[in-house]
């Protein structure tokens, strides 16, 4: 299983060249969920998911979620 960062809004994956890709197979792999979470918290994105990608079945598993340092969305009062 490959551990990756997914932008929760655009459903794109952070790639090794720090760009975003629509293809999970092209996403950057992290050794553990904690490492991916630490990187994602520093990214200029809003909500993110840490996902596991099983290459054999092309299945995604949501492992964790959080918010990067992007602009927070305003909530109606």
């Amino acid at each position: 299983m490959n551990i990756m960062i997914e932008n929760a809004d655009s459903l794109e994956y952070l790639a090794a060249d720090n760009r975003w890709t629509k293809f999970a197979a092209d996403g950057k792999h992290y050794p553990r969920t904690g490492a991916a979470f630490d990187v994602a918290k520093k990214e200029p994105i809003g909500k993110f998911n840490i996902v596991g990608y099983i290459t054999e079945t092309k299945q995604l598993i949501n492992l964790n979620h959080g918010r990067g340092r992007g602009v927070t969305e305003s909530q109606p009062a």
Side-chain angles (χ1 to χ4, degrees):
M1 178 168 58
N2 298 321
I3 298 170
M4 302 183 300
I5 299 169
E6 177 189 52
N7 182 321
D9 296 322
S10 68
L11 302 179
E12 294 179 313
Y13 307 94
L14 187 61
D17 61 1
N18 288 328
R19 294 184 185 211
W20 294 94
T21 178
K22 288 279 188 191
F23 304 103
D26 295 336
K28 181 177 181 178
H29 306 160
Y30 293 88
R32 60 190 195 290
T33 57
F37 192 86
D38 291 343
V39 170
K41 292 287 288 180
K42 297 174 187 171
E43 285 296 312
I45 58 174
K47 295 182 282 183
F48 64 81
N49 297 313
I50 305 301
V51 297
Y53 178 66
I54 302 171
T55 55
E56 294 83 10
T57 60
K58 297 183 168 101
Q59 186 177 18
L60 290 167
I61 302 167
N62 197 353
L63 303 171
N64 205 340
H65 65 276
R67 183 174 293 278
R69 56 181 187 98
V71 178
T72 58
E73 300 166 330
S74 60
Q75 297 290 332

